[in-house]
Structure formats: C-alpha cells, structure tokens
Amino acid sequence: MRKLFALIFIVLLSLWHLPLVNSFPYWFHEGAYVKYALLSPQGEDNEKTNIFEVYPPLMPPDAREKVLAIEEVSEDEPVSIFVRGHVFLTFRVVSIKNDSAKINITLELNDAWAYNRHRIGVLKLSRVLLLNRSDMMYYGENGAALGRPIFFMNPLSPPHRDELWMNVSPLVKFGISTKNLVVKNVSYSWMVDKTLHTYYRDFVSPYIYIESNRAPFFWKLPDGYISGSLHIGAVYDFDTGIMLTSVFTKASPELLSLGIVLGSDYDYRAGEKLSKLIDEEKTDREWWQPGFNLYDTNIKFPETSSTATPNTGMKYFFAVSLVCLLLTIILTWRWRRG
C-alpha cells in the first residue's frame, strides 16, 4: 500500500513539474506566426502618429543603411521615427532544434518619417533571435540573456515575480540611465467577464495579465536629452498563452533587438472603437485595448464561448490531477477500513 501511495505521489509531482520540462506550448512549431497591429486613425489626420526612438548601432543592417541614407541622420545619435501609417509586428517560429528555437521578429513601419521631416516610406526592421526552451529566455551572440518573449508565455508555467523580462545592459552600455524590467504582477482578474475584441477574433475571460516594473529612462545627448519610462504590460489568452494585446508597452526584448530604445504602442483604430463603446455604455461587457492588437495568425485557437469550458490542455491537466487526487482519497478510505 505504501508503494502505491508513493507511486501516486510521484505521478502528481511529475504533473506539477511538467510545465517546467516542456516549456513550449502545444501550438509552438516551425512556421507558426502571430502578427500584431497598431492601425492609424480613420481619415487624413497626419498629426496622430506613433513615435519610435531608434539607435542606428543596434538596428539590423538593411534598416540601418536606409535610415543613415538621410543626410541629417547621425550614426551616433538616436533617430525619432514618426509613423503616420499602420504598424505591424510579426513573430514567426523559424526553426526548433533540441532545447532552443529561432524566432524571426519583424517590425513594419508604414509612412515613416525621420524627425517628422524626411520621408522614409516603408521601414522594415527584422532580426532572428535564439530562444532557450529551458528558461524561456532569448540569448544574444555573447551568451547574455536578453529577456523573456512578449508575444507568448506558457499558461501552465507563468513567470514568477521579480523574474527578468528585459535586460537593459545594451542601453546602459550607451550611457542610458535605466533599470532591468522584471515581472511584478501576474493577474487573472483583468477585464473579468468582458469580451475582448481584436482584429483577429473576439476572446472571453479569463485572461492572464502580466506587468513589469516601471523603469526610468534618461539619455543625455550633446544637444539635449530623451527621458521617459520603460514598461511592459501584456494580456494573454488563458488557453494558449498567446498575447492578445499590449497595455502601454514602451519596450520589449524583441523591440530592443531591432534598435528600438523607446517606442509607442497606441492603436488609433482600437482607441476609436473603445470610445464608441464608452459612448454606448457597453464597457461593462466589451473592451477594445488600444495597444498592439492581435491581427493575424496561423495558430488554431480552441473553440470557446462564454458558456462553454475551453477545450485546452489546461483543462486536461487539471482533470488528470483531480483524478489522481480522488484515487488517493479512495485508496486511503479503503486502507483505513481494511
């Protein structure tokens, strides 16, 4: 009987540690992609823009050459890129090998202008990062941890408080005063009982909301300074762990790898839709978040509704755990009687 109890204990312990062994979710395979959008406002309002501060030495070569072709741009100073058109951010799983995966990150800035004066047109920044499976961290060529992905997390193994999210050492190296971004809050109560609209489809709660600390950002330049704060806030699908929308996110490991030292994440179309919901007094049951919104993906989400239980691995994980617990109770009861 003791051996049986020991076996049950081992099974339960194995289930508890399963997320740590298998960090990649079920949908994570070569070719999987997710695309996010910040859509420009309706009409011809060119005053409403998203601004990205890029630093040429950190940019991918092709994009750097395109920006440096502008006479006013200096390689040693940040460039303010004003984006009047749509912004698209795409993550694609390029390959998976053993305990790592290569992720392509592409940021597309449409109708981009340097310093809001020199038209660039379409500016694409693209880079491939190595993601380690064991600790869910990106690593650079020098072996330094860059931080956790923003576009997904493992719902079976959410990050812990004070866990590194973005390593700012590349910024500090250039004289920027700031601090690492770490996980400060993991919550399941964000917009409870509200439908979240995205361009891809609607989602229902519960959601997983993860937020970092806010780190001051100060960069003294020869002719002035740039100041602000770094912060990551993201909302994830409870079933798959895929990011659905961002919340005032000014930075991420992926954006920093593209040379974005301080960015924007305001979706004007989503803002317009949210204003309409507010005017119609519907925000008690519906929501549009004006951040990076899920726009397209080839990942199949489980079919869910407000009255149905999600058909996901999470459900089966808890079901198996419950069965093992009930089995333990029954065997304990029989052992005491016999």
Side-chain angles (χ1 to χ4, degrees):
M1 185 63 68
R2 288 183 178 179
K3 290 182 179 180
L4 182 58
F5 284 142
L7 180 61
I8 293 172
F9 177 77
I10 291 172
V11 170
L12 288 171
L13 190 62
S14 298
L15 286 170
W16 178 259
H17 287 288
L18 181 61
L20 301 180
V21 175
N22 186 16
S23 296
F24 291 160
Y26 72 90
W27 54 262
F28 196 97
H29 56 78
E30 294 182 2
Y33 74 87
V34 285
K35 184 176 184 178
Y36 301 91
L38 305 175
L39 299 188
S40 58
Q42 301 275 11
E44 300 295 328
D45 192 348
N46 289 334
E47 297 301 318
K48 294 180 178 179
T49 62
N50 277 294
I51 306 173
F52 295 85
E53 297 290 344
V54 301
Y55 192 48
L58 296 175
M59 296 175 66
D62 291 346
R64 181 171 65 246
E65 290 179 11
K66 193 170 186 177
V67 170
L68 291 178
I70 300 172
E71 186 175 349
E72 189 178 340
V73 173
S74 169
E75 187 169 4
D76 299 323
E77 294 185 8
V79 185
S80 299
I81 305 296
F82 288 71
V83 185
R84 300 175 184 175
H86 301 326
V87 176
F88 296 106
L89 179 61
T90 304
F91 304 88
R92 185 183 300 271
V93 181
V94 177
S95 63
I96 302 174
K97 185 177 181 180
N98 298 328
D99 289 335
S100 64
K102 289 184 177 180
I103 311 296
N104 176 265
I105 300 103
T106 300
L107 179 68
E108 179 182 325
L109 308 177
N110 290 280
D111 198 4
W113 296 68
Y115 305 117
N116 209 21
R117 295 190 297 274
H118 308 282
R119 190 172 190 275
I120 301 173
V122 178
L123 180 63
K124 282 189 177 182
L125 303 94
S126 185
R127 193 182 296 279
V128 174
L129 294 181
L130 185 68
L131 177 63
N132 189 291
R133 179 177 183 173
S134 61
D135 58 5
M136 296 301 290
M137 286 280 175
Y138 291 119
Y139 283 87
E141 295 179 355
N142 59 357
L146 303 178
R148 297 179 61 89
I150 189 176
F151 74 99
F152 84 99
M153 47 78 68
N154 188 347
L156 293 179
S157 181
H160 302 294
R161 183 179 175 86
D162 294 329
E163 189 171 327
L164 177 67
W165 202 341
M166 188 177 96
N167 186 347
V168 299
S169 58
L171 300 178
V172 174
K173 182 175 66 175
F174 292 111
I176 298 172
S177 177
T178 187
K179 295 181 179 179
N180 283 343
L181 293 183
V182 299
V183 175
K184 282 301 178 186
N185 182 32
V186 179
S187 171
Y188 298 85
S189 60
W190 188 87
M191 298 298 168
V192 175
D193 297 329
K194 292 186 182 183
T195 297
L196 175 65
H197 301 292
T198 72
Y199 299 114
Y200 181 72
R201 57 164 269 190
D202 294 342
F203 293 87
V204 296
S205 62
Y207 311 105
I208 304 174
Y209 174 62
I210 305 179
E211 184 178 20
S212 76
N213 58 315
R214 291 183 181 273
F217 180 99
F218 183 83
W219 195 356
K220 182 173 174 44
L221 302 169
D223 57 349
Y225 64 89
I226 298 175
S227 64
S229 64
L230 301 181
H231 175 252
I232 301 176
V235 178
Y236 297 89
D237 176 48
F238 183 81
D239 301 331
T240 63
I242 294 172
M243 187 180 80
L244 305 177
T245 186
S246 65
V247 181
F248 305 117
T249 295
K250 302 299 182 184
S252 77
E254 296 96 340
L255 290 177
L256 181 56
S257 75
L258 299 176
I260 308 295
V261 297
L262 195 63
S264 298
D265 70 335
Y266 193 80
D267 184 333
Y268 287 96
R269 298 279 179 93
E272 293 167 356
K273 294 176 184 292
L274 177 59
S275 296
K276 184 178 180 181
L277 289 179
I278 293 173
D279 292 341
E280 295 174 351
E281 299 183 347
K282 294 182 178 179
T283 53
D284 60 329
R285 56 187 183 276
E286 299 178 58
W287 195 260
W288 272 94
Q289 177 62 35
F292 273 107
N293 277 297
L294 183 62
Y295 186 79
D296 186 31
T297 183
N298 61 358
I299 295 168
K300 300 298 182 182
F301 286 88
E303 292 297 326
T304 62
S305 71
S306 58
T307 58
T309 303
N311 184 22
T312 69
M314 284 284 282
K315 180 181 74 174
Y316 295 120
F317 172 78
F318 288 118
V320 171
S321 300
L322 181 60
V323 169
C324 289
L325 180 61
L326 291 174
L327 180 61
T328 303
I329 294 172
I330 292 171
L331 290 174
T332 301
W333 176 73
R334 292 185 61 184
W335 176 68
R336 287 179 177 175
R337 288 194 61 183

